Amino acid sequence: MTTEAVGPMTSRARVLAALRREPVDRTPVCNPTSVATVELMDLVDAPFPLANRDPELMARLAATSYTELGFDSIMPVFSIIQESSALGCNMQWEQKDNWPTVRMSEPIWRDADDIRIPNDFLLHPDMVCVLDAIRILKKRFGDEVAIIGKTMGPWTLGYHCFGVEAFLLMSLDDPGKTKLCLDRMKEATLQFGLAQIEAGADALTLPDHATGDLVSGEYYARYLKDLHVEFAERLPVPLILHICGRTIDRMDYIAQTGMAAFHFDSKNAPDESMTVMHDRIALVGNINNPETLFAKGPEVVRQEVLKNLEAGVQLVGPECAIPLQTSIENLLEISQTVREWHGARGRAH
Amino acid sequence: MAQLSDITNAAIRREIEDFLERPEEIARTVELFARVSPLMQEIAAALIEGDNGAVDRLTVQALDQSVEALEIMDDGLIAGMGIVGIKFRESFIFVPEVLACARAMKAGMAHIEPILSAAGVEPIATVIMGTVKGDLHDIGKNLCIMMLRGAGFEVIDLGVDTSDDAFIEDVEKHCSPILGMSALLTTTMPNMGKTIEALIDADLRDEVQIMVGGAPVTQEFADDMGADGYGKDALDCVALAKRLAEAAG
């Protein structure tokens, strides 16, 4: 953390500086996964599932994080399923009040040789939707606000395309084959990431769900660390790695990847996480979703925001994609608390 | 009181020494394995290793030697899963290793279940299990189901993405059942509360004991949603189901 004076910044400049761990005029408010809610869908008439498949609706709903909630970033990719849809997974697009999801019980691949990234991968309507939404947002907001894209990591694609249980058992039974699969699937991550950068994304979230609720920190080091280093080298914008759940045991590895930031879960204490990261990578997070943002009121939200600010977390926001029934009131409290905290202290961060 | 040295199987002794920390769990586990036959210890050790081939072979061998199916299940398979559950709870192992152990248990249960079904053993209670609406994850739920069945419960598995109506329909079908709901995503957890509200609206809430679980679920969340209990893992789920069954009389 620095206390040197910094002039007023645009939201975009603020987010990008924080991702570089450079001085900012105030802590940016950011959710690199999703802030879509039913209330926001109603507000701008952009409901699920259409807002996941129509670029104009996607852009309109995504923009509410900036225009309605006072966040410093816009994330148009609400879910984690666009690539899997393009790869041929069976989808369940759901309704307005539920997330679209991949039918993982109907795997499309069983072996490394089954893995095919289609030649027209980026031309699939669900990919084009994201790319067009980013272009729309870039045109609408220019350099005012940070437009963050999202490309799924190969571990998550493995869950979707092989099925979670089959993929995890393969990782135990045949580490060589698992590494080969990850290496082949990474092409999807890279292609979609590069296409979003070309469309105008300022940064990319890279979810890769090697969560402590499923696999060990050693697993992260064995299977993913090198791939994440490669992504950081080959995708020329700041990358925000997202892994849910307990991750403190792998944060040291994550800090060595060259990623700009790590979006962390409320199961990890902000101060302890900051200590582990030791200024090698920025942190984004980590306000609890189900118990705080969904179930409690603004005062509890405020306390969690303050805990992150006091710990020096570089970008403050929800821990993950928020439940669709979360109230706007609670989400507004995040940016309001951040502004008040900086106002009261009269200092930069 | 049994001693560690009373256990003949070296692998089981090592597991207890290396991974069990709570004195009451050590005492209970030593007592259990000191009592059971070397072949049951060998089945448990193979299961803990995740060696499904060995569990399959040893189960057949035990049945050929006229060991009771119930004894193989309790003293071999479930006893082994007890240690697996503790190792998972303490983060010595993670889901891939647990899945391998579950696969081994299934290999044994494939021989045991038909025998127990034919014998018509009365279940402790009926448990209706499902992953909530919008959530397609089922690893945790399936582990719980396996352990519940092994512990003597009849389990109705509603699968994943379970609607309120599906839960309600099965609660109506069964007398005083236990209902277990699972969620892996923070985004789908609120659907547990919606299902409980639907049960209230259908005037069925008092007819059913509700337990919830899943990686992001906590006791606080379970209380907020109005559940009767929260299970942290599959072992906890079985203990909770037994408590709820007793409470329901």
Side-chain angles (χ1 to χ4, degrees), chain A residues 133-164:
Chain A
I134 290 172
R135 289 188 193 101
I136 291 168
L137 288 164
K138 200 67 190 170
K139 193 171 168 194
R140 200 169 292 166
F141 293 100
D143 287 342
E144 199 181 323
V145 55
I147 313 290
I148 304 179
K150 189 191 287 176
T151 184
M152 306 308 299
W155 193 263
T156 298
L157 293 176
Y159 291 160
H160 288 177
C161 298
F162 286 84
V164 180

PDB file of all heavy atoms in Angstrom, chain A residues 133-164:
ATOM      1  N   ALA A 133     -20.412  -8.219 -27.414  1.00  0.00           N
ATOM      2  CA  ALA A 133     -20.766  -7.448 -26.207  1.00  0.00           C
ATOM      3  C   ALA A 133     -19.591  -6.589 -25.761  1.00  0.00           C
ATOM      4  O   ALA A 133     -19.766  -5.424 -25.367  1.00  0.00           O
ATOM      5  CB  ALA A 133     -21.203  -8.390 -25.088  1.00  0.00           C
ATOM      6  N   ILE A 134     -18.393  -7.142 -25.824  1.00  0.00           N
ATOM      7  CA  ILE A 134     -17.202  -6.359 -25.446  1.00  0.00           C
ATOM      8  C   ILE A 134     -17.039  -5.162 -26.401  1.00  0.00           C
ATOM      9  O   ILE A 134     -16.764  -4.034 -25.967  1.00  0.00           O
ATOM     10  CB  ILE A 134     -15.933  -7.252 -25.452  1.00  0.00           C
ATOM     11  CG1 ILE A 134     -16.012  -8.243 -24.275  1.00  0.00           C
ATOM     12  CG2 ILE A 134     -14.656  -6.413 -25.369  1.00  0.00           C
ATOM     13  CD1 ILE A 134     -14.920  -9.293 -24.272  1.00  0.00           C
ATOM     14  N   ARG A 135     -17.259  -5.415 -27.693  1.00  0.00           N
ATOM     15  CA  ARG A 135     -17.138  -4.302 -28.667  1.00  0.00           C
ATOM     16  C   ARG A 135     -18.179  -3.214 -28.370  1.00  0.00           C
ATOM     17  O   ARG A 135     -17.871  -2.020 -28.406  1.00  0.00           O
ATOM     18  CB  ARG A 135     -17.322  -4.842 -30.095  1.00  0.00           C
ATOM     19  CG  ARG A 135     -16.149  -5.687 -30.566  1.00  0.00           C
ATOM     20  CD  ARG A 135     -16.262  -6.063 -32.054  1.00  0.00           C
ATOM     21  NE  ARG A 135     -15.300  -7.112 -32.349  1.00  0.00           N
ATOM     22  CZ  ARG A 135     -15.595  -8.401 -32.461  1.00  0.00           C
ATOM     23  NH1 ARG A 135     -16.852  -8.820 -32.355  1.00  0.00           N
ATOM     24  NH2 ARG A 135     -14.646  -9.290 -32.708  1.00  0.00           N
ATOM     25  N   ILE A 136     -19.397  -3.646 -28.073  1.00  0.00           N
ATOM     26  CA  ILE A 136     -20.462  -2.674 -27.762  1.00  0.00           C
ATOM     27  C   ILE A 136     -20.066  -1.841 -26.536  1.00  0.00           C
ATOM     28  O   ILE A 136     -20.182  -0.606 -26.525  1.00  0.00           O
ATOM     29  CB  ILE A 136     -21.802  -3.410 -27.493  1.00  0.00           C
ATOM     30  CG1 ILE A 136     -22.330  -4.031 -28.787  1.00  0.00           C
ATOM     31  CG2 ILE A 136     -22.845  -2.460 -26.893  1.00  0.00           C
ATOM     32  CD1 ILE A 136     -23.485  -5.020 -28.578  1.00  0.00           C
ATOM     33  N   LEU A 137     -19.582  -2.513 -25.515  1.00  0.00           N
ATOM     34  CA  LEU A 137     -19.227  -1.821 -24.263  1.00  0.00           C
ATOM     35  C   LEU A 137     -18.056  -0.872 -24.488  1.00  0.00           C
ATOM     36  O   LEU A 137     -18.019   0.243 -23.948  1.00  0.00           O
ATOM     37  CB  LEU A 137     -18.883  -2.848 -23.179  1.00  0.00           C
ATOM     38  CG  LEU A 137     -20.092  -3.631 -22.630  1.00  0.00           C
ATOM     39  CD1 LEU A 137     -19.639  -4.873 -21.872  1.00  0.00           C
ATOM     40  CD2 LEU A 137     -20.936  -2.734 -21.716  1.00  0.00           C
ATOM     41  N   LYS A 138     -17.095  -1.327 -25.297  1.00  0.00           N
ATOM     42  CA  LYS A 138     -15.916  -0.489 -25.567  1.00  0.00           C
ATOM     43  C   LYS A 138     -16.346   0.785 -26.312  1.00  0.00           C
ATOM     44  O   LYS A 138     -15.869   1.880 -26.010  1.00  0.00           O
ATOM     45  CB  LYS A 138     -14.907  -1.296 -26.391  1.00  0.00           C
ATOM     46  CG  LYS A 138     -13.514  -0.763 -26.349  1.00  0.00           C
ATOM     47  CD  LYS A 138     -12.914  -0.911 -24.965  1.00  0.00           C
ATOM     48  CE  LYS A 138     -11.613  -0.149 -24.861  1.00  0.00           C
ATOM     49  NZ  LYS A 138     -11.134  -0.068 -23.471  1.00  0.00           N
ATOM     50  N   LYS A 139     -17.253   0.586 -27.249  1.00  0.00           N
ATOM     51  CA  LYS A 139     -17.732   1.731 -28.029  1.00  0.00           C
ATOM     52  C   LYS A 139     -18.508   2.694 -27.126  1.00  0.00           C
ATOM     53  O   LYS A 139     -18.387   3.910 -27.225  1.00  0.00           O
ATOM     54  CB  LYS A 139     -18.639   1.213 -29.150  1.00  0.00           C
ATOM     55  CG  LYS A 139     -18.947   2.225 -30.209  1.00  0.00           C
ATOM     56  CD  LYS A 139     -19.666   1.554 -31.368  1.00  0.00           C
ATOM     57  CE  LYS A 139     -20.234   2.606 -32.299  1.00  0.00           C
ATOM     58  NZ  LYS A 139     -21.192   2.055 -33.232  1.00  0.00           N
ATOM     59  N   ARG A 140     -19.291   2.106 -26.210  1.00  0.00           N
ATOM     60  CA  ARG A 140     -20.163   2.926 -25.359  1.00  0.00           C
ATOM     61  C   ARG A 140     -19.378   3.650 -24.262  1.00  0.00           C
ATOM     62  O   ARG A 140     -19.691   4.772 -23.911  1.00  0.00           O
ATOM     63  CB  ARG A 140     -21.229   2.028 -24.737  1.00  0.00           C
ATOM     64  CG  ARG A 140     -22.446   2.733 -24.245  1.00  0.00           C
ATOM     65  CD  ARG A 140     -23.551   1.741 -23.892  1.00  0.00           C
ATOM     66  NE  ARG A 140     -24.094   1.058 -25.043  1.00  0.00           N
ATOM     67  CZ  ARG A 140     -24.867  -0.038 -24.977  1.00  0.00           C
ATOM     68  NH1 ARG A 140     -25.172  -0.562 -23.814  1.00  0.00           N
ATOM     69  NH2 ARG A 140     -25.323  -0.589 -26.080  1.00  0.00           N
ATOM     70  N   PHE A 141     -18.369   3.005 -23.729  1.00  0.00           N
ATOM     71  CA  PHE A 141     -17.696   3.570 -22.554  1.00  0.00           C
ATOM     72  C   PHE A 141     -16.250   4.005 -22.803  1.00  0.00           C
ATOM     73  O   PHE A 141     -15.648   4.655 -21.947  1.00  0.00           O
ATOM     74  CB  PHE A 141     -17.736   2.568 -21.387  1.00  0.00           C
ATOM     75  CG  PHE A 141     -19.120   2.342 -20.859  1.00  0.00           C
ATOM     76  CD1 PHE A 141     -19.850   1.230 -21.231  1.00  0.00           C
ATOM     77  CD2 PHE A 141     -19.712   3.253 -19.997  1.00  0.00           C
ATOM     78  CE1 PHE A 141     -21.136   1.017 -20.758  1.00  0.00           C
ATOM     79  CE2 PHE A 141     -20.998   3.058 -19.517  1.00  0.00           C
ATOM     80  CZ  PHE A 141     -21.713   1.923 -19.897  1.00  0.00           C
ATOM     81  N   GLY A 142     -15.706   3.626 -23.942  1.00  0.00           N
ATOM     82  CA  GLY A 142     -14.337   4.050 -24.258  1.00  0.00           C
ATOM     83  C   GLY A 142     -13.358   3.700 -23.166  1.00  0.00           C
ATOM     84  O   GLY A 142     -13.297   2.556 -22.708  1.00  0.00           O
ATOM     85  N   ASP A 143     -12.610   4.712 -22.734  1.00  0.00           N
ATOM     86  CA  ASP A 143     -11.595   4.478 -21.701  1.00  0.00           C
ATOM     87  C   ASP A 143     -12.090   4.855 -20.301  1.00  0.00           C
ATOM     88  O   ASP A 143     -11.311   5.014 -19.365  1.00  0.00           O
ATOM     89  CB  ASP A 143     -10.334   5.295 -22.020  1.00  0.00           C
ATOM     90  CG  ASP A 143      -9.583   4.704 -23.191  1.00  0.00           C
ATOM     91  OD1 ASP A 143      -9.834   3.521 -23.512  1.00  0.00           O
ATOM     92  OD2 ASP A 143      -8.752   5.419 -23.789  1.00  0.00           O
ATOM     93  N   GLU A 144     -13.407   4.992 -20.179  1.00  0.00           N
ATOM     94  CA  GLU A 144     -13.986   5.446 -18.921  1.00  0.00           C
ATOM     95  C   GLU A 144     -13.932   4.373 -17.836  1.00  0.00           C
ATOM     96  O   GLU A 144     -13.657   4.641 -16.669  1.00  0.00           O
ATOM     97  CB  GLU A 144     -15.457   5.784 -19.246  1.00  0.00           C
ATOM     98  CG  GLU A 144     -16.168   6.674 -18.282  1.00  0.00           C
ATOM     99  CD  GLU A 144     -17.614   6.873 -18.774  1.00  0.00           C
ATOM    100  OE1 GLU A 144     -17.835   6.963 -20.007  1.00  0.00           O
ATOM    101  OE2 GLU A 144     -18.497   6.917 -17.929  1.00  0.00           O
ATOM    102  N   VAL A 145     -14.233   3.140 -18.222  1.00  0.00           N
ATOM    103  CA  VAL A 145     -14.381   2.060 -17.236  1.00  0.00           C
ATOM    104  C   VAL A 145     -13.653   0.820 -17.759  1.00  0.00           C
ATOM    105  O   VAL A 145     -13.558   0.617 -18.966  1.00  0.00           O
ATOM    106  CB  VAL A 145     -15.893   1.778 -16.989  1.00  0.00           C
ATOM    107  CG1 VAL A 145     -16.623   1.469 -18.268  1.00  0.00           C
ATOM    108  CG2 VAL A 145     -16.103   0.657 -15.977  1.00  0.00           C
ATOM    109  N   ALA A 146     -13.162   0.004 -16.848  1.00  0.00           N
ATOM    110  CA  ALA A 146     -12.424  -1.194 -17.266  1.00  0.00           C
ATOM    111  C   ALA A 146     -13.405  -2.271 -17.739  1.00  0.00           C
ATOM    112  O   ALA A 146     -14.318  -2.653 -17.008  1.00  0.00           O
ATOM    113  CB  ALA A 146     -11.607  -1.723 -16.092  1.00  0.00           C
ATOM    114  N   ILE A 147     -13.202  -2.716 -18.974  1.00  0.00           N
ATOM    115  CA  ILE A 147     -14.007  -3.815 -19.516  1.00  0.00           C
ATOM    116  C   ILE A 147     -13.188  -5.092 -19.322  1.00  0.00           C
ATOM    117  O   ILE A 147     -12.090  -5.219 -19.871  1.00  0.00           O
ATOM    118  CB  ILE A 147     -14.293  -3.633 -21.029  1.00  0.00           C
ATOM    119  CG1 ILE A 147     -14.772  -2.211 -21.347  1.00  0.00           C
ATOM    120  CG2 ILE A 147     -15.255  -4.713 -21.519  1.00  0.00           C
ATOM    121  CD1 ILE A 147     -16.125  -1.863 -20.858  1.00  0.00           C
ATOM    122  N   ILE A 148     -13.712  -5.991 -18.531  1.00  0.00           N
ATOM    123  CA  ILE A 148     -12.971  -7.228 -18.244  1.00  0.00           C
ATOM    124  C   ILE A 148     -13.631  -8.392 -18.972  1.00  0.00           C
ATOM    125  O   ILE A 148     -14.845  -8.579 -18.884  1.00  0.00           O
ATOM    126  CB  ILE A 148     -12.924  -7.506 -16.721  1.00  0.00           C
ATOM    127  CG1 ILE A 148     -12.324  -6.292 -15.985  1.00  0.00           C
ATOM    128  CG2 ILE A 148     -12.116  -8.756 -16.427  1.00  0.00           C
ATOM    129  CD1 ILE A 148     -12.257  -6.448 -14.476  1.00  0.00           C
ATOM    130  N   GLY A 149     -12.839  -9.145 -19.701  1.00  0.00           N
ATOM    131  CA  GLY A 149     -13.344 -10.352 -20.361  1.00  0.00           C
ATOM    132  C   GLY A 149     -13.127 -11.565 -19.476  1.00  0.00           C
ATOM    133  O   GLY A 149     -12.633 -11.449 -18.340  1.00  0.00           O
ATOM    134  N   LYS A 150     -13.508 -12.713 -19.976  1.00  0.00           N
ATOM    135  CA  LYS A 150     -13.355 -13.930 -19.163  1.00  0.00           C
ATOM    136  C   LYS A 150     -13.080 -15.127 -20.075  1.00  0.00           C
ATOM    137  O   LYS A 150     -13.827 -15.361 -21.028  1.00  0.00           O
ATOM    138  CB  LYS A 150     -14.642 -14.177 -18.368  1.00  0.00           C
ATOM    139  CG  LYS A 150     -14.535 -15.287 -17.325  1.00  0.00           C
ATOM    140  CD  LYS A 150     -15.902 -15.648 -16.769  1.00  0.00           C
ATOM    141  CE  LYS A 150     -16.471 -14.610 -15.830  1.00  0.00           C
ATOM    142  NZ  LYS A 150     -17.843 -14.942 -15.370  1.00  0.00           N
ATOM    143  N   THR A 151     -12.013 -15.859 -19.788  1.00  0.00           N
ATOM    144  CA  THR A 151     -11.730 -17.077 -20.550  1.00  0.00           C
ATOM    145  C   THR A 151     -11.447 -18.213 -19.579  1.00  0.00           C
ATOM    146  O   THR A 151     -10.650 -18.057 -18.643  1.00  0.00           O
ATOM    147  CB  THR A 151     -10.562 -16.852 -21.551  1.00  0.00           C
ATOM    148  OG1 THR A 151     -10.393 -18.028 -22.334  1.00  0.00           O
ATOM    149  CG2 THR A 151      -9.250 -16.503 -20.870  1.00  0.00           C
ATOM    150  N   MET A 152     -12.133 -19.315 -19.770  1.00  0.00           N
ATOM    151  CA  MET A 152     -12.043 -20.392 -18.786  1.00  0.00           C
ATOM    152  C   MET A 152     -10.733 -21.159 -18.912  1.00  0.00           C
ATOM    153  O   MET A 152     -10.278 -21.464 -20.014  1.00  0.00           O
ATOM    154  CB  MET A 152     -13.195 -21.387 -18.970  1.00  0.00           C
ATOM    155  CG  MET A 152     -14.576 -20.768 -18.957  1.00  0.00           C
ATOM    156  SD  MET A 152     -14.875 -19.722 -17.528  1.00  0.00           S
ATOM    157  CE  MET A 152     -14.681 -20.897 -16.229  1.00  0.00           C
ATOM    158  N   GLY A 153     -10.173 -21.497 -17.775  1.00  0.00           N
ATOM    159  CA  GLY A 153      -8.950 -22.294 -17.756  1.00  0.00           C
ATOM    160  C   GLY A 153      -9.241 -23.754 -18.072  1.00  0.00           C
ATOM    161  O   GLY A 153     -10.383 -24.207 -18.010  1.00  0.00           O
ATOM    162  N   PRO A 154      -8.194 -24.518 -18.397  1.00  0.00           N
ATOM    163  CA  PRO A 154      -8.399 -25.906 -18.843  1.00  0.00           C
ATOM    164  C   PRO A 154      -8.899 -26.840 -17.751  1.00  0.00           C
ATOM    165  O   PRO A 154      -9.543 -27.842 -18.045  1.00  0.00           O
ATOM    166  CB  PRO A 154      -7.003 -26.321 -19.325  1.00  0.00           C
ATOM    167  CG  PRO A 154      -6.052 -25.375 -18.680  1.00  0.00           C
ATOM    168  CD  PRO A 154      -6.794 -24.092 -18.489  1.00  0.00           C
ATOM    169  N   TRP A 155      -8.615 -26.508 -16.487  1.00  0.00           N
ATOM    170  CA  TRP A 155      -9.100 -27.392 -15.415  1.00  0.00           C
ATOM    171  C   TRP A 155     -10.635 -27.347 -15.376  1.00  0.00           C
ATOM    172  O   TRP A 155     -11.307 -28.382 -15.289  1.00  0.00           O
ATOM    173  CB  TRP A 155      -8.506 -26.956 -14.072  1.00  0.00           C
ATOM    174  CG  TRP A 155      -8.691 -27.965 -12.974  1.00  0.00           C
ATOM    175  CD1 TRP A 155      -9.666 -27.978 -12.036  1.00  0.00           C
ATOM    176  CD2 TRP A 155      -7.863 -29.113 -12.724  1.00  0.00           C
ATOM    177  NE1 TRP A 155      -9.508 -29.071 -11.203  1.00  0.00           N
ATOM    178  CE2 TRP A 155      -8.413 -29.773 -11.601  1.00  0.00           C
ATOM    179  CE3 TRP A 155      -6.732 -29.650 -13.338  1.00  0.00           C
ATOM    180  CZ2 TRP A 155      -7.859 -30.948 -11.087  1.00  0.00           C
ATOM    181  CZ3 TRP A 155      -6.183 -30.819 -12.818  1.00  0.00           C
ATOM    182  CH2 TRP A 155      -6.736 -31.443 -11.713  1.00  0.00           C
ATOM    183  N   THR A 156     -11.196 -26.144 -15.495  1.00  0.00           N
ATOM    184  CA  THR A 156     -12.653 -26.005 -15.498  1.00  0.00           C
ATOM    185  C   THR A 156     -13.243 -26.621 -16.760  1.00  0.00           C
ATOM    186  O   THR A 156     -14.279 -27.291 -16.710  1.00  0.00           O
ATOM    187  CB  THR A 156     -13.038 -24.516 -15.395  1.00  0.00           C
ATOM    188  OG1 THR A 156     -12.535 -24.029 -14.148  1.00  0.00           O
ATOM    189  CG2 THR A 156     -14.536 -24.320 -15.433  1.00  0.00           C
ATOM    190  N   LEU A 157     -12.580 -26.409 -17.884  1.00  0.00           N
ATOM    191  CA  LEU A 157     -13.074 -27.039 -19.118  1.00  0.00           C
ATOM    192  C   LEU A 157     -13.071 -28.557 -18.972  1.00  0.00           C
ATOM    193  O   LEU A 157     -13.950 -29.253 -19.495  1.00  0.00           O
ATOM    194  CB  LEU A 157     -12.208 -26.615 -20.316  1.00  0.00           C
ATOM    195  CG  LEU A 157     -12.291 -25.138 -20.718  1.00  0.00           C
ATOM    196  CD1 LEU A 157     -11.312 -24.832 -21.853  1.00  0.00           C
ATOM    197  CD2 LEU A 157     -13.709 -24.747 -21.130  1.00  0.00           C
ATOM    198  N   GLY A 158     -12.099 -29.070 -18.241  1.00  0.00           N
ATOM    199  CA  GLY A 158     -12.042 -30.514 -17.985  1.00  0.00           C
ATOM    200  C   GLY A 158     -13.273 -30.996 -17.235  1.00  0.00           C
ATOM    201  O   GLY A 158     -13.853 -32.031 -17.570  1.00  0.00           O
ATOM    202  N   TYR A 159     -13.683 -30.242 -16.219  1.00  0.00           N
ATOM    203  CA  TYR A 159     -14.905 -30.604 -15.485  1.00  0.00           C
ATOM    204  C   TYR A 159     -16.092 -30.661 -16.446  1.00  0.00           C
ATOM    205  O   TYR A 159     -16.918 -31.567 -16.406  1.00  0.00           O
ATOM    206  CB  TYR A 159     -15.244 -29.559 -14.415  1.00  0.00           C
ATOM    207  CG  TYR A 159     -14.311 -29.478 -13.224  1.00  0.00           C
ATOM    208  CD1 TYR A 159     -14.283 -28.327 -12.437  1.00  0.00           C
ATOM    209  CD2 TYR A 159     -13.494 -30.535 -12.856  1.00  0.00           C
ATOM    210  CE1 TYR A 159     -13.460 -28.223 -11.321  1.00  0.00           C
ATOM    211  CE2 TYR A 159     -12.665 -30.440 -11.740  1.00  0.00           C
ATOM    212  CZ  TYR A 159     -12.649 -29.279 -10.988  1.00  0.00           C
ATOM    213  OH  TYR A 159     -11.839 -29.178  -9.890  1.00  0.00           O
ATOM    214  N   HIS A 160     -16.188 -29.623 -17.284  1.00  0.00           N
ATOM    215  CA  HIS A 160     -17.352 -29.514 -18.159  1.00  0.00           C
ATOM    216  C   HIS A 160     -17.368 -30.604 -19.232  1.00  0.00           C
ATOM    217  O   HIS A 160     -18.417 -31.160 -19.536  1.00  0.00           O
ATOM    218  CB  HIS A 160     -17.367 -28.138 -18.846  1.00  0.00           C
ATOM    219  CG  HIS A 160     -17.706 -27.015 -17.922  1.00  0.00           C
ATOM    220  ND1 HIS A 160     -17.719 -25.706 -18.313  1.00  0.00           N
ATOM    221  CD2 HIS A 160     -18.049 -27.006 -16.613  1.00  0.00           C
ATOM    222  CE1 HIS A 160     -18.056 -24.937 -17.289  1.00  0.00           C
ATOM    223  NE2 HIS A 160     -18.248 -25.717 -16.244  1.00  0.00           N
ATOM    224  N   CYS A 161     -16.206 -30.858 -19.824  1.00  0.00           N
ATOM    225  CA  CYS A 161     -16.179 -31.733 -21.000  1.00  0.00           C
ATOM    226  C   CYS A 161     -16.010 -33.211 -20.649  1.00  0.00           C
ATOM    227  O   CYS A 161     -16.433 -34.084 -21.408  1.00  0.00           O
ATOM    228  CB  CYS A 161     -15.062 -31.288 -21.955  1.00  0.00           C
ATOM    229  SG  CYS A 161     -15.318 -29.618 -22.576  1.00  0.00           S
ATOM    230  N   PHE A 162     -15.348 -33.499 -19.525  1.00  0.00           N
ATOM    231  CA  PHE A 162     -15.153 -34.899 -19.119  1.00  0.00           C
ATOM    232  C   PHE A 162     -16.109 -35.304 -17.991  1.00  0.00           C
ATOM    233  O   PHE A 162     -16.255 -36.489 -17.702  1.00  0.00           O
ATOM    234  CB  PHE A 162     -13.717 -35.112 -18.612  1.00  0.00           C
ATOM    235  CG  PHE A 162     -12.679 -35.123 -19.699  1.00  0.00           C
ATOM    236  CD1 PHE A 162     -12.142 -33.943 -20.195  1.00  0.00           C
ATOM    237  CD2 PHE A 162     -12.221 -36.320 -20.241  1.00  0.00           C
ATOM    238  CE1 PHE A 162     -11.190 -33.943 -21.196  1.00  0.00           C
ATOM    239  CE2 PHE A 162     -11.265 -36.338 -21.247  1.00  0.00           C
ATOM    240  CZ  PHE A 162     -10.741 -35.139 -21.725  1.00  0.00           C
ATOM    241  N   GLY A 163     -16.716 -34.324 -17.321  1.00  0.00           N
ATOM    242  CA  GLY A 163     -17.475 -34.592 -16.096  1.00  0.00           C
ATOM    243  C   GLY A 163     -16.540 -34.461 -14.908  1.00  0.00           C
ATOM    244  O   GLY A 163     -15.377 -34.873 -14.988  1.00  0.00           O
ATOM    245  N   VAL A 164     -17.033 -33.888 -13.823  1.00  0.00           N
ATOM    246  CA  VAL A 164     -16.152 -33.592 -12.683  1.00  0.00           C
ATOM    247  C   VAL A 164     -15.536 -34.871 -12.113  1.00  0.00           C
ATOM    248  O   VAL A 164     -14.318 -34.966 -11.911  1.00  0.00           O
ATOM    249  CB  VAL A 164     -16.924 -32.853 -11.565  1.00  0.00           C
ATOM    250  CG1 VAL A 164     -15.996 -32.547 -10.404  1.00  0.00           C
ATOM    251  CG2 VAL A 164     -17.533 -31.567 -12.084  1.00  0.00           C
TER     252      VAL A 164
END
